[in-house]
Amino acid sequence: MRIHFIAIGGSAMHNLAIALHKKGYQITGSDDVIFEPAKSRLDKYGLLPAEMGWNAERITKDLDAVILGMHARIDNPELLKAQELGVKIYSYPEYIYEQSKNKLRVVIGGSHGKTTITSMILHVLNHYNRDFDYLVGAQLAGFETMVKVTEEAPVMIIEGDEYLSSPIDRRPKFHLYKANVAVISGIAWDHINVFPTYADYTSQFDKFINTIVDGGSLIYCEADNDLNEIVQQSTAKVSKIPYAIPAHEIVNGITYLLPEHTALKVFGDHNLMNLNAAKLVCKELNISESEFNEAISSFTGAAKRLEVISADESTNVYKDFAHSPSKLKATIDAVKSQFTDRKLTACIELHTFSSLNKDFLKEYSGSMDKADDAIVFIDLKSFEQKRMEPFSEADVRDAFANPNLKFFNDASKLKAYLLSLNYQNTNLLMMSSGNYAGFDLPELAASLSK
């Protein structure tokens, strides 16, 4: 198979390119810019384009397929040439389905927790040396790439994103996988540039349920009222399996599953909820509860999901991917519940299109109330890059409904403020889907006063 990737530098795209290269396919690709770690990974396998930019001459009739990334535009010269020549064009979710249509497909959807649930399932399957393919949205310990596709594996575990598939395919990715076993972790409005109303957004999950193959299973969070209503009203011919927070206790900062008293390396209600979803998926894959508990006890979390940067007897510093209102609240609640005797300084960088939209900003109301010191940071370049109108400190404070909230739009001033605090018996939580304008978080953590 000869396959060309347009926008090969994307997170999922470069991982799929490497996976298909390992499978023996001939892979070429192009992009206008490729950042790390994609650049080094592609270079390692001889897949890094010799020069950046688009070139229609790369597209020839002898290509078996073109895989089109979301980063490309509809007037991309390579895309136009592929259309002109009649070369088969796939979005990457379409091609993932092509690679897995003869396998049992497990698809994890939802507005939050997808990566963690998927990671937990992969961790357990790996623990028992199961043969499986996968697509996950974060780099995991013990896994070289974020995508694996083989001929032999009987099952594929897929993180099912609700964002669009490609510039010419406006369907959400998770609609294309046709799950045998599906998970919906919950619904919280996001991607308002694509789904301008909450009703537009929630309808995508109703449609997702209808893509599950007849006789399949739907595992869903019953604590989410809107999701519960959608599931109960659905006429899809699937088994509906609810889950909630499992029985547990917290002793000296460690969470234990009950009744077996299994010690966990992760914590927080949202992680416990994710764990229960993963356990039900593994049950569908013939892994018992006791087997699951044994394996999950060594799970340390997905990258950037409450990732520990440093820890000692009085202060833990965490990095987290939280950016939406629901994720922000859940992450703050988790750290406060786990360390009830410590204060919490929590900082969120507003970075996504939704979070920088003034109308959406009010969705953050009350989301940081449990933090002892709540901080919002916006890199002014984010507004410029997204061509959006900046909003003021007063706008942010009003939207979060928190009069004590502190606001920064200058990274150096934010860093100076964080370093001015005393962290004796205090945790620091840094949350962003961006990079705090290039902050070195380990260096920051090492410099805190106590």
Side-chain angles (χ1 to χ4, degrees), residues 379-433:
D379 185 350
L380 287 176
K381 291 178 183 175
S382 298
F383 286 117
E384 294 170 14
Q385 290 165 352
K386 294 176 173 64
R387 297 176 183 176
M388 300 175 74
E389 187 71 28
F391 35 71
S392 68
E393 179 174 351
D395 293 330
V396 173
R397 191 171 281 114
D398 289 346
F400 277 77
N402 186 334
N404 298 317
L405 182 143
K406 297 173 183 66
F407 175 77
F408 294 90
N409 56 21
D410 181 315
S412 61
K413 291 181 179 178
L414 169 63
K415 185 176 182 179
Y417 175 74
L418 291 173
L419 291 173
S420 74
L421 301 176
N422 186 298
Y423 289 89
Q424 182 64 37
N425 214 35
T426 301
N427 289 331
L428 174 61
L429 173 60
M430 301 291 286
M431 297 167 286
S432 175
S433 60

Short mmCIF file of all heavy atoms in Angstrom, two decimals, residues 379-433:
data_model
loop_
_atom_site.label_atom_id
_atom_site.label_comp_id
_atom_site.label_asym_id
_atom_site.label_seq_id
_atom_site.Cartn_x
_atom_site.Cartn_y
_atom_site.Cartn_z
N ASP A 379 -2.44 34.13 27.49
CA ASP A 379 -1.36 34.68 26.67
C ASP A 379 -2.03 35.52 25.57
O ASP A 379 -2.82 35.00 24.78
CB ASP A 379 -0.55 33.53 26.05
CG ASP A 379 0.66 34.02 25.28
OD1 ASP A 379 0.76 35.25 25.04
OD2 ASP A 379 1.49 33.19 24.89
N LEU A 380 -1.72 36.80 25.53
CA LEU A 380 -2.37 37.69 24.55
C LEU A 380 -2.18 37.20 23.11
O LEU A 380 -3.02 37.46 22.24
CB LEU A 380 -1.81 39.11 24.70
CG LEU A 380 -2.28 39.87 25.95
CD1 LEU A 380 -1.58 41.22 26.04
CD2 LEU A 380 -3.80 40.05 25.94
N LYS A 381 -1.10 36.45 22.86
CA LYS A 381 -0.87 35.91 21.52
C LYS A 381 -1.97 34.92 21.11
O LYS A 381 -2.22 34.73 19.92
CB LYS A 381 0.50 35.23 21.45
CG LYS A 381 1.67 36.20 21.53
CD LYS A 381 2.99 35.46 21.50
CE LYS A 381 4.16 36.42 21.66
NZ LYS A 381 5.46 35.70 21.75
N SER A 382 -2.60 34.31 22.10
CA SER A 382 -3.67 33.36 21.79
C SER A 382 -4.84 34.06 21.11
O SER A 382 -5.44 33.52 20.17
CB SER A 382 -4.16 32.66 23.07
OG SER A 382 -3.12 31.91 23.65
N PHE A 383 -5.18 35.27 21.58
CA PHE A 383 -6.23 36.04 20.93
C PHE A 383 -5.82 36.40 19.49
O PHE A 383 -6.63 36.31 18.57
CB PHE A 383 -6.51 37.33 21.70
CG PHE A 383 -7.27 37.15 22.99
CD1 PHE A 383 -6.70 37.48 24.20
CD2 PHE A 383 -8.57 36.66 22.98
CE1 PHE A 383 -7.40 37.33 25.39
CE2 PHE A 383 -9.28 36.50 24.16
CZ PHE A 383 -8.69 36.84 25.38
N GLU A 384 -4.57 36.80 19.34
CA GLU A 384 -4.08 37.20 18.02
C GLU A 384 -4.11 36.02 17.05
O GLU A 384 -4.57 36.15 15.90
CB GLU A 384 -2.65 37.73 18.14
CG GLU A 384 -2.53 39.02 18.94
CD GLU A 384 -1.08 39.38 19.25
OE1 GLU A 384 -0.18 38.77 18.63
OE2 GLU A 384 -0.84 40.23 20.12
N GLN A 385 -3.62 34.86 17.51
CA GLN A 385 -3.56 33.68 16.65
C GLN A 385 -4.95 33.24 16.21
O GLN A 385 -5.14 32.77 15.09
CB GLN A 385 -2.86 32.54 17.38
CG GLN A 385 -1.37 32.78 17.57
CD GLN A 385 -0.76 31.85 18.60
OE1 GLN A 385 -1.45 31.10 19.28
NE2 GLN A 385 0.57 31.88 18.71
N LYS A 386 -5.94 33.39 17.10
CA LYS A 386 -7.30 32.95 16.79
C LYS A 386 -8.16 34.10 16.25
O LYS A 386 -9.34 33.92 16.00
CB LYS A 386 -7.95 32.32 18.03
CG LYS A 386 -7.25 31.03 18.45
CD LYS A 386 -7.85 30.47 19.73
CE LYS A 386 -7.28 29.10 20.05
NZ LYS A 386 -5.86 29.07 20.34
N ARG A 387 -7.53 35.27 16.10
CA ARG A 387 -8.21 36.45 15.57
C ARG A 387 -9.50 36.75 16.36
O ARG A 387 -10.57 36.92 15.80
CB ARG A 387 -8.53 36.27 14.09
CG ARG A 387 -7.28 36.12 13.23
CD ARG A 387 -7.60 35.84 11.79
NE ARG A 387 -6.38 35.64 11.01
CZ ARG A 387 -6.36 35.30 9.73
NH1 ARG A 387 -7.51 35.14 9.08
NH2 ARG A 387 -5.23 35.11 9.10
N MET A 388 -9.33 36.80 17.67
CA MET A 388 -10.45 37.05 18.57
C MET A 388 -10.20 38.31 19.39
O MET A 388 -9.05 38.70 19.61
CB MET A 388 -10.68 35.84 19.48
CG MET A 388 -10.97 34.55 18.72
SD MET A 388 -11.08 33.10 19.77
CE MET A 388 -12.67 33.37 20.54
N GLU A 389 -11.28 38.92 19.83
CA GLU A 389 -11.21 40.16 20.60
C GLU A 389 -10.82 39.85 22.04
O GLU A 389 -11.48 39.05 22.70
CB GLU A 389 -12.57 40.85 20.56
CG GLU A 389 -12.59 42.24 21.18
CD GLU A 389 -11.86 43.27 20.32
OE1 GLU A 389 -11.80 43.10 19.09
OE2 GLU A 389 -11.35 44.24 20.91
N PRO A 390 -9.73 40.44 22.56
CA PRO A 390 -9.34 40.19 23.95
C PRO A 390 -10.40 40.68 24.93
O PRO A 390 -11.12 41.63 24.63
CB PRO A 390 -8.05 41.01 24.12
CG PRO A 390 -7.56 41.25 22.74
CD PRO A 390 -8.78 41.33 21.87
N PHE A 391 -10.48 40.02 26.09
CA PHE A 391 -11.37 40.54 27.13
C PHE A 391 -10.56 40.91 28.36
O PHE A 391 -9.40 40.53 28.51
CB PHE A 391 -12.53 39.60 27.48
CG PHE A 391 -12.23 38.14 27.43
CD1 PHE A 391 -11.42 37.54 28.37
CD2 PHE A 391 -12.80 37.34 26.44
CE1 PHE A 391 -11.17 36.19 28.34
CE2 PHE A 391 -12.55 35.99 26.41
CZ PHE A 391 -11.74 35.40 27.35
N SER A 392 -11.19 41.69 29.22
CA SER A 392 -10.48 42.33 30.32
C SER A 392 -10.47 41.46 31.57
O SER A 392 -11.17 40.46 31.68
CB SER A 392 -11.15 43.67 30.65
OG SER A 392 -12.44 43.43 31.20
N GLU A 393 -9.71 41.92 32.56
CA GLU A 393 -9.68 41.26 33.87
C GLU A 393 -11.08 41.25 34.49
O GLU A 393 -11.50 40.25 35.09
CB GLU A 393 -8.69 41.98 34.78
CG GLU A 393 -8.58 41.39 36.17
CD GLU A 393 -7.48 42.05 36.98
OE1 GLU A 393 -6.70 42.83 36.41
OE2 GLU A 393 -7.41 41.74 38.19
N ALA A 394 -11.80 42.36 34.33
CA ALA A 394 -13.16 42.43 34.89
C ALA A 394 -14.07 41.41 34.22
O ALA A 394 -14.92 40.78 34.90
CB ALA A 394 -13.72 43.84 34.72
N ASP A 395 -13.93 41.24 32.92
CA ASP A 395 -14.73 40.24 32.20
C ASP A 395 -14.50 38.84 32.78
O ASP A 395 -15.43 38.06 32.99
CB ASP A 395 -14.37 40.22 30.71
CG ASP A 395 -14.77 41.50 29.99
OD1 ASP A 395 -15.76 42.13 30.41
OD2 ASP A 395 -14.09 41.85 29.00
N VAL A 396 -13.23 38.53 33.02
CA VAL A 396 -12.86 37.20 33.53
C VAL A 396 -13.40 37.01 34.94
O VAL A 396 -14.01 35.99 35.26
CB VAL A 396 -11.33 37.02 33.50
CG1 VAL A 396 -10.93 35.71 34.18
CG2 VAL A 396 -10.82 37.05 32.07
N ARG A 397 -13.19 38.00 35.80
CA ARG A 397 -13.63 37.89 37.19
C ARG A 397 -15.16 37.75 37.27
O ARG A 397 -15.69 36.95 38.04
CB ARG A 397 -13.15 39.10 37.99
CG ARG A 397 -13.35 38.94 39.48
CD ARG A 397 -12.69 40.04 40.29
NE ARG A 397 -11.25 39.83 40.42
CZ ARG A 397 -10.33 40.61 39.89
NH1 ARG A 397 -10.68 41.68 39.19
NH2 ARG A 397 -9.05 40.36 40.07
N ASP A 398 -15.86 38.51 36.44
CA ASP A 398 -17.33 38.42 36.43
C ASP A 398 -17.79 37.06 35.93
O ASP A 398 -18.71 36.46 36.49
CB ASP A 398 -17.92 39.51 35.52
CG ASP A 398 -17.79 40.91 36.12
OD1 ASP A 398 -17.48 41.00 37.33
OD2 ASP A 398 -17.98 41.89 35.38
N ALA A 399 -17.14 36.56 34.88
CA ALA A 399 -17.55 35.27 34.31
C ALA A 399 -17.33 34.13 35.30
O ALA A 399 -18.19 33.24 35.44
CB ALA A 399 -16.80 35.01 33.02
N PHE A 400 -16.20 34.13 35.98
CA PHE A 400 -15.90 33.08 36.95
C PHE A 400 -16.68 33.26 38.25
O PHE A 400 -16.70 32.36 39.10
CB PHE A 400 -14.40 33.03 37.25
CG PHE A 400 -13.60 32.26 36.24
CD1 PHE A 400 -13.29 32.81 35.00
CD2 PHE A 400 -13.14 30.97 36.52
CE1 PHE A 400 -12.54 32.10 34.06
CE2 PHE A 400 -12.40 30.26 35.59
CZ PHE A 400 -12.10 30.82 34.35
N ALA A 401 -17.32 34.42 38.40
CA ALA A 401 -18.11 34.75 39.60
C ALA A 401 -17.26 34.56 40.87
O ALA A 401 -17.71 33.99 41.87
CB ALA A 401 -19.38 33.89 39.66
N ASN A 402 -16.01 35.02 40.79
CA ASN A 402 -15.08 34.85 41.90
C ASN A 402 -14.34 36.17 42.11
O ASN A 402 -13.39 36.48 41.40
CB ASN A 402 -14.09 33.73 41.57
CG ASN A 402 -13.19 33.39 42.73
OD1 ASN A 402 -12.93 34.21 43.61
ND2 ASN A 402 -12.71 32.15 42.75
N PRO A 403 -14.77 36.97 43.11
CA PRO A 403 -14.18 38.30 43.30
C PRO A 403 -12.71 38.26 43.72
O PRO A 403 -11.99 39.25 43.57
CB PRO A 403 -15.04 38.92 44.41
CG PRO A 403 -15.65 37.75 45.12
CD PRO A 403 -15.84 36.69 44.09
N ASN A 404 -12.24 37.10 44.24
CA ASN A 404 -10.85 36.99 44.69
C ASN A 404 -9.91 36.44 43.61
O ASN A 404 -8.72 36.32 43.85
CB ASN A 404 -10.78 36.10 45.93
CG ASN A 404 -11.57 36.68 47.10
OD1 ASN A 404 -11.50 37.88 47.36
ND2 ASN A 404 -12.34 35.85 47.78
N LEU A 405 -10.47 36.13 42.48
CA LEU A 405 -9.67 35.56 41.40
C LEU A 405 -8.62 36.55 40.91
O LEU A 405 -8.87 37.74 40.81
CB LEU A 405 -10.60 35.16 40.25
CG LEU A 405 -9.99 34.50 39.02
CD1 LEU A 405 -10.93 33.42 38.48
CD2 LEU A 405 -9.74 35.54 37.92
N LYS A 406 -7.43 36.02 40.60
CA LYS A 406 -6.35 36.87 40.08
C LYS A 406 -6.17 36.58 38.60
O LYS A 406 -6.28 35.43 38.16
CB LYS A 406 -5.06 36.61 40.85
CG LYS A 406 -5.17 36.99 42.32
CD LYS A 406 -3.95 36.58 43.11
CE LYS A 406 -4.14 36.93 44.58
NZ LYS A 406 -5.22 36.12 45.20
N PHE A 407 -5.87 37.65 37.84
CA PHE A 407 -5.79 37.52 36.37
C PHE A 407 -4.44 38.03 35.87
O PHE A 407 -3.97 39.08 36.30
CB PHE A 407 -6.93 38.32 35.73
CG PHE A 407 -6.86 38.35 34.23
CD1 PHE A 407 -7.24 37.26 33.47
CD2 PHE A 407 -6.38 39.48 33.56
CE1 PHE A 407 -7.17 37.28 32.09
CE2 PHE A 407 -6.31 39.53 32.18
CZ PHE A 407 -6.70 38.42 31.44
N PHE A 408 -3.85 37.27 34.95
CA PHE A 408 -2.58 37.68 34.34
C PHE A 408 -2.65 37.45 32.84
O PHE A 408 -3.20 36.45 32.37
CB PHE A 408 -1.41 36.86 34.90
CG PHE A 408 -1.13 37.10 36.35
CD1 PHE A 408 -1.76 36.33 37.33
CD2 PHE A 408 -0.25 38.09 36.76
CE1 PHE A 408 -1.51 36.54 38.68
CE2 PHE A 408 0.01 38.31 38.10
CZ PHE A 408 -0.62 37.55 39.07
N ASN A 409 -2.09 38.40 32.07
CA ASN A 409 -1.92 38.18 30.64
C ASN A 409 -0.47 38.40 30.22
O ASN A 409 -0.16 38.57 29.05
CB ASN A 409 -2.87 39.04 29.81
CG ASN A 409 -2.74 40.52 30.11
OD1 ASN A 409 -1.71 40.96 30.63
ND2 ASN A 409 -3.78 41.29 29.80
N ASP A 410 0.41 38.36 31.22
CA ASP A 410 1.84 38.49 31.00
C ASP A 410 2.51 37.32 31.73
O ASP A 410 2.43 37.22 32.97
CB ASP A 410 2.34 39.83 31.55
CG ASP A 410 3.82 40.06 31.32
OD1 ASP A 410 4.61 39.13 31.57
OD2 ASP A 410 4.19 41.18 30.92
N ALA A 411 3.18 36.43 30.98
CA ALA A 411 3.74 35.22 31.57
C ALA A 411 4.80 35.52 32.63
O ALA A 411 4.88 34.83 33.65
CB ALA A 411 4.34 34.34 30.47
N SER A 412 5.59 36.55 32.42
CA SER A 412 6.65 36.87 33.38
C SER A 412 6.05 37.34 34.71
O SER A 412 6.56 37.01 35.79
CB SER A 412 7.59 37.94 32.82
OG SER A 412 6.89 39.14 32.54
N LYS A 413 4.95 38.10 34.65
CA LYS A 413 4.29 38.55 35.87
C LYS A 413 3.61 37.39 36.59
O LYS A 413 3.61 37.32 37.83
CB LYS A 413 3.29 39.66 35.56
CG LYS A 413 3.94 40.96 35.12
CD LYS A 413 2.90 42.05 34.84
CE LYS A 413 3.58 43.35 34.43
NZ LYS A 413 2.58 44.41 34.11
N LEU A 414 3.05 36.46 35.83
CA LEU A 414 2.45 35.27 36.43
C LEU A 414 3.53 34.46 37.16
O LEU A 414 3.34 34.05 38.32
CB LEU A 414 1.78 34.40 35.37
CG LEU A 414 1.35 33.00 35.82
CD1 LEU A 414 0.29 33.08 36.92
CD2 LEU A 414 0.81 32.18 34.63
N LYS A 415 4.64 34.26 36.51
CA LYS A 415 5.73 33.48 37.12
C LYS A 415 6.23 34.16 38.38
O LYS A 415 6.45 33.50 39.43
CB LYS A 415 6.86 33.30 36.11
CG LYS A 415 7.98 32.40 36.61
CD LYS A 415 9.03 32.19 35.53
CE LYS A 415 10.12 31.24 36.01
NZ LYS A 415 11.14 30.99 34.96
N ALA A 416 6.40 35.47 38.32
CA ALA A 416 6.86 36.22 39.51
C ALA A 416 5.88 36.08 40.66
O ALA A 416 6.28 35.91 41.83
CB ALA A 416 7.06 37.69 39.14
N TYR A 417 4.58 36.13 40.35
CA TYR A 417 3.57 35.98 41.41
C TYR A 417 3.63 34.58 42.02
O TYR A 417 3.62 34.44 43.26
CB TYR A 417 2.16 36.24 40.85
CG TYR A 417 1.09 35.99 41.88
CD1 TYR A 417 0.88 36.88 42.93
CD2 TYR A 417 0.31 34.83 41.83
CE1 TYR A 417 -0.08 36.64 43.91
CE2 TYR A 417 -0.66 34.58 42.79
CZ TYR A 417 -0.85 35.47 43.83
OH TYR A 417 -1.78 35.22 44.79
N LEU A 418 3.71 33.57 41.18
CA LEU A 418 3.74 32.19 41.69
C LEU A 418 4.98 31.98 42.58
O LEU A 418 4.90 31.29 43.61
CB LEU A 418 3.75 31.19 40.53
CG LEU A 418 2.45 31.10 39.72
CD1 LEU A 418 2.64 30.22 38.50
CD2 LEU A 418 1.30 30.57 40.58
N LEU A 419 6.10 32.56 42.20
CA LEU A 419 7.32 32.40 42.98
C LEU A 419 7.30 33.23 44.27
O LEU A 419 8.09 32.97 45.18
CB LEU A 419 8.54 32.78 42.14
CG LEU A 419 8.86 31.82 40.98
CD1 LEU A 419 9.99 32.38 40.12
CD2 LEU A 419 9.22 30.44 41.51
N SER A 420 6.41 34.21 44.35
CA SER A 420 6.33 35.05 45.55
C SER A 420 5.56 34.39 46.68
O SER A 420 5.63 34.84 47.83
CB SER A 420 5.67 36.40 45.21
OG SER A 420 4.26 36.23 45.02
N LEU A 421 4.83 33.32 46.38
CA LEU A 421 3.98 32.68 47.38
C LEU A 421 4.77 31.70 48.23
O LEU A 421 5.80 31.17 47.83
CB LEU A 421 2.83 31.93 46.68
CG LEU A 421 1.90 32.77 45.80
CD1 LEU A 421 0.88 31.87 45.10
CD2 LEU A 421 1.20 33.85 46.61
N ASN A 422 4.24 31.43 49.42
CA ASN A 422 4.80 30.40 50.29
C ASN A 422 3.98 29.12 50.14
O ASN A 422 2.76 29.15 50.31
CB ASN A 422 4.80 30.87 51.75
CG ASN A 422 5.51 29.89 52.66
OD1 ASN A 422 5.10 28.74 52.80
ND2 ASN A 422 6.59 30.34 53.28
N TYR A 423 4.65 28.01 49.81
CA TYR A 423 3.94 26.77 49.52
C TYR A 423 4.01 25.76 50.65
O TYR A 423 3.76 24.57 50.44
CB TYR A 423 4.49 26.16 48.22
CG TYR A 423 4.09 26.97 47.00
CD1 TYR A 423 4.89 28.03 46.57
CD2 TYR A 423 2.90 26.73 46.34
CE1 TYR A 423 4.51 28.80 45.48
CE2 TYR A 423 2.51 27.50 45.25
CZ TYR A 423 3.33 28.53 44.83
OH TYR A 423 2.94 29.30 43.76
N GLN A 424 4.31 26.23 51.86
CA GLN A 424 4.28 25.32 53.01
C GLN A 424 2.85 24.78 53.17
O GLN A 424 1.89 25.54 53.28
CB GLN A 424 4.70 26.06 54.28
CG GLN A 424 4.75 25.18 55.52
CD GLN A 424 5.80 24.09 55.43
OE1 GLN A 424 6.88 24.31 54.89
NE2 GLN A 424 5.49 22.92 55.95
N ASN A 425 2.71 23.48 53.14
CA ASN A 425 1.41 22.84 53.27
C ASN A 425 0.42 23.31 52.20
O ASN A 425 -0.77 23.50 52.46
CB ASN A 425 0.83 23.09 54.67
CG ASN A 425 0.02 21.91 55.17
OD1 ASN A 425 0.36 20.77 54.88
ND2 ASN A 425 -1.06 22.18 55.87
N THR A 426 0.93 23.50 50.99
CA THR A 426 0.12 24.00 49.87
C THR A 426 0.48 23.26 48.59
O THR A 426 1.67 23.08 48.28
CB THR A 426 0.37 25.51 49.65
OG1 THR A 426 0.05 26.22 50.85
CG2 THR A 426 -0.48 26.06 48.51
N ASN A 427 -0.52 22.85 47.83
CA ASN A 427 -0.31 22.24 46.52
C ASN A 427 -0.47 23.28 45.42
O ASN A 427 -1.25 24.24 45.57
CB ASN A 427 -1.29 21.09 46.28
CG ASN A 427 -0.99 19.89 47.15
OD1 ASN A 427 0.16 19.64 47.51
ND2 ASN A 427 -2.02 19.12 47.48
N LEU A 428 0.25 23.08 44.32
CA LEU A 428 0.13 23.95 43.14
C LEU A 428 -0.38 23.12 41.98
O LEU A 428 0.18 22.07 41.67
CB LEU A 428 1.48 24.58 42.79
CG LEU A 428 1.54 25.39 41.49
CD1 LEU A 428 0.58 26.58 41.54
CD2 LEU A 428 2.97 25.85 41.20
N LEU A 429 -1.44 23.60 41.35
CA LEU A 429 -2.06 22.91 40.22
C LEU A 429 -2.04 23.83 39.00
O LEU A 429 -2.65 24.90 39.01
CB LEU A 429 -3.50 22.54 40.59
CG LEU A 429 -4.41 21.96 39.51
CD1 LEU A 429 -3.83 20.66 38.94
CD2 LEU A 429 -5.81 21.72 40.08
N MET A 430 -1.30 23.42 37.95
CA MET A 430 -1.18 24.20 36.73
C MET A 430 -1.96 23.50 35.62
O MET A 430 -1.64 22.35 35.25
CB MET A 430 0.28 24.34 36.32
CG MET A 430 1.16 25.01 37.37
SD MET A 430 0.80 26.77 37.59
CE MET A 430 1.51 27.46 36.10
N MET A 431 -2.99 24.17 35.08
CA MET A 431 -3.89 23.54 34.12
C MET A 431 -3.90 24.29 32.80
O MET A 431 -4.05 25.51 32.77
CB MET A 431 -5.31 23.50 34.70
CG MET A 431 -5.45 22.66 35.95
SD MET A 431 -7.02 22.92 36.81
CE MET A 431 -6.74 24.53 37.54
N SER A 432 -3.73 23.55 31.70
CA SER A 432 -3.73 24.17 30.38
C SER A 432 -3.68 23.11 29.29
O SER A 432 -3.10 22.04 29.48
CB SER A 432 -2.53 25.09 30.23
OG SER A 432 -2.46 25.62 28.91
N SER A 433 -4.28 23.43 28.14
CA SER A 433 -4.04 22.63 26.93
C SER A 433 -2.97 23.31 26.09
O SER A 433 -2.63 22.84 25.00
CB SER A 433 -5.34 22.48 26.12
OG SER A 433 -5.82 23.76 25.73
#
